[in-house]
Amino acid sequence: MEAYDYIVVGAGSSGCVVASRLSADPAVRVLLIEAGADTNKFWVRTPAGTGKLFMDKRFNWAFNTEAVPTLGGRKVYWPRGKGLGGSSAINGMIYMRGQPSDFDHWAALGNEGWGWADVLPYFIRSESNQRGANDWHGGDGPLHVSDPAIGHPTADDFIAAAQRVGIPRSADFNGPPHEGVGYRQYTIRNGRRHTSYNAFIEPVRHRGNLTVRTGMRVTRVLLEDGEATGVEVQAQGQRRRIAAVREVILCGGALASPHLLMLSGIGDGASLHRHGIVPAVESPGVGRNLQDHWFGSFSWRATAGSSYNHRLRGAQKYVEGMRYLLTHGGYLALGASPVTAYARSEPGRPEADLQLTVSPMTFRFAPSGEPVVDGFPAIGGSMVLLTPDSRGHMEMLSADPLQAPAFHPNYLSEPGDIRRSLAGMRMLRQIAQTQPLASRIVDEMAPGPDTVTDDQLLDHLKANGNSGWHQVGTCRMGNDPMSVVDARLCLRGMRRLRVIDASIMPKIVAGNTNAPCIMIGEKGADMIRADATPARVVAS
């Protein structure tokens, strides 16, 4: 049987880090398995191509949730990356770590070694920041982090207006004081998207002890006598087995990793029995504790010069395209909304729980899934509740590993989430009505000037809001009966098996999730090396 010391399942934000760091030891053999394909395509590498990837099933699993009762029965679209780099190949490239209290809370829950002081060195290690190294940032790591390629006066006016309503200016959201209003940073290098694959695997893919396989679907983890012994895979219509001499490491993300555990007989016993799967480990927390960010959307018709919609339409879009091809600059080199504010929904909150953003461009999706930039000047905005109390779950629908599970996100099921979200929507509207930003706005298109009561705003939030595409928590780290992995990310009840990805987060971070997933990969790889699980004998 084909055998490797470590099998890493999933070449996404965490998996690429784990495989890169483990394969730095020439004495071990590492296999990195990815179900998707190569993502070295023009619109993947071009930052403004994010919209084109939103519904592109070549690079996107394109999941949908079940009907969500708290949203009036809506099903919500969940894009997830499929291919080398995972979701870092289709996301908005925002580099945001969360707040120190997020990680201190993880540690307070009994996860030793996961406090802010413990994880900060891993954030720094992974990063090469355009601004250089300091106490909070790295200057020579694999992942390039940069400022927006081009500024816009509307973004500057949003910052000024937010300051006028009492939100302080921030020069760095990833350094103290970790809240305020300012420009974001992005995982973009020289005008091109810098995925976890580009950063961590591409430069070392020549290593003789590192094997990368694409187009290969892992269908279950092989278990024997209380330990993981390898994986079963499907490729080109055939199934076969690959042995792991030391460990199997699941890095499929918050949706794929728990599903793979269930398929392997690890999860809620009654649920597994219903699908004819004999439980190997009773772990009722698998697929529970599902968390995500929910956002409310805004759009405003704007004055000429307050939006760059016109630069991405008609003949101008070809000018921008040529500009990008020649310089890797201009509007095609921009990531998602360039400016944001981290603020508190209520005065007594211990940390910022709102993310308020504005972008000087707007677009819609045509029935084909193609993004179409609006033909008039407009400004888009969003309010994200960063610390939701609502919890959902996922469950198997079939023992067929190729059938997606059912996702029940349970958005806005907690009254406090609704109250704080409405406060955030009012705050963003207040900023839009404050000078100097107010002078750029002609009228509010959505939710609209007549949407003023709590009930009206809530109706808009339910009908037109959307996922922040930050699903986490489904293989929660902890030391209680509902936790799935321990603080060393080892699966409870099964040896030689770890989960290292967004699913291990006990609580979602108050920010975007890509940078924390890379940190989790860094820390997880260090734990694997430190533990040095001895090789087992594999029958030839």
Side-chain angles (χ1 to χ4, degrees), residues 19-357:
S20 177
R21 297 307 194 188
L22 292 180
S23 64
D25 178 359
V28 301
R29 297 157 299 161
V30 179
L31 172 64
L32 176 61
I33 302 176
E34 171 55 44
D38 182 16
T39 52
N40 188 24
K41 307 296 181 182
F42 177 78
W43 285 116
V44 175
R45 298 305 305 274
T46 303
T50 299
K52 290 183 175 291
L53 306 173
F54 194 71
M55 297 182 183
D56 189 336
K57 293 187 178 181
R58 293 177 300 167
F59 310 114
N60 196 325
W61 289 105
F63 292 122
N64 283 283
T65 70
E66 300 301 296
V68 184
T70 49
L71 301 180
R74 279 181 65 191
K75 292 186 176 183
V76 181
Y77 178 61
W78 277 2
R80 302 306 300 162
K82 180 172 67 172
L84 295 175
S87 291
S88 73
I90 67 170
N91 67 3
M93 295 152 286
I94 297 162
Y95 184 81
M96 177 64 193
R97 299 169 177 172
Q99 300 182 53
S101 56
D102 296 332
F103 306 99
D104 288 339
H105 179 67
W106 292 5
L109 293 173
N111 298 298
E112 185 179 356
W114 287 91
W116 175 244
D118 303 304
V119 302
L120 178 59
Y122 292 104
F123 281 117
I124 292 173
R125 175 197 291 182
S126 67
E127 181 190 14
S128 179
N129 198 292
Q130 174 185 332
R131 303 178 187 177
N134 58 32
D135 289 344
W136 313 104
H137 293 284
D140 57 2
L143 182 71
H144 282 249
V145 176
S146 60
D147 293 316
I150 187 171
H152 196 277
T154 296
D156 294 328
D157 286 352
F158 171 77
I159 292 173
Q163 288 180 276
R164 287 192 173 184
V165 303
I167 301 173
R169 180 74 165 89
S170 173
D172 180 9
F173 293 127
N174 293 304
H178 299 282
E179 64 179 277
V181 60
Y183 277 91
R184 290 166 153 170
Q185 287 197 298
Y186 298 88
T187 52
I188 295 174
R189 180 183 185 185
N190 297 328
R192 305 183 79 192
R193 175 192 292 271
H194 207 224
T195 70
S196 59
Y197 172 79
N198 300 139
F200 291 92
I201 296 296
E202 196 172 49
V204 302
R205 193 162 175 177
H206 62 276
R207 288 174 178 166
N209 65 329
L210 172 63
T211 301
V212 181
R213 298 269 174 80
T214 56
M216 180 176 281
R217 184 81 173 263
V218 177
T219 54
R220 66 187 176 104
V221 180
L222 302 175
L223 308 174
E224 184 179 332
D225 297 331
E227 62 183 23
T229 60
V231 295
E232 179 184 80
V233 301
Q234 179 170 311
Q236 298 177 333
Q238 295 185 332
R239 289 193 184 183
R240 59 190 177 90
R241 297 181 169 197
I242 305 174
V245 175
R246 296 180 187 271
E247 294 189 32
V248 175
I249 304 139
L250 303 186
C251 301
L255 307 185
S257 287
H259 187 214
L260 190 51
L261 289 177
M262 295 174 191
L263 292 167
S264 308
I266 300 171
D268 177 72
S271 176
L272 297 176
H273 276 300
R274 284 197 296 271
H275 296 289
I277 298 175
V278 178
V281 177
E282 174 71 29
S283 185
V286 173
R288 314 298 296 187
N289 193 47
L290 175 61
Q291 300 162 63
D292 190 16
H293 290 139
W294 187 254
F295 72 82
S297 57
F298 281 77
S299 61
W300 299 272
R301 190 177 296 271
T303 59
S306 294
S307 165
Y308 57 83
N309 283 355
H310 66 289
R311 302 296 295 265
L312 301 176
R313 287 180 59 88
Q316 280 292 319
K317 72 179 180 182
Y318 298 107
V319 174
E320 281 299 318
M322 184 59 66
R323 179 186 184 186
Y324 181 76
L325 289 172
L326 293 174
T327 68
H328 282 165
Y331 290 107
L332 294 189
L334 287 176
S337 307
V339 285
T340 194
Y342 289 88
R344 306 182 192 209
S345 63
E346 300 163 333
R349 298 292 304 181
E351 62 183 12
D353 60 341
L354 299 173
Q355 184 187 74
L356 310 174
T357 67

Side-chain angles (χ1 to χ4, degrees), residues 7-22:
I7 298 177
V8 182
V9 181
S13 298
S14 302
C16 286
V17 181
V18 172
S20 177
R21 297 307 194 188
L22 292 180

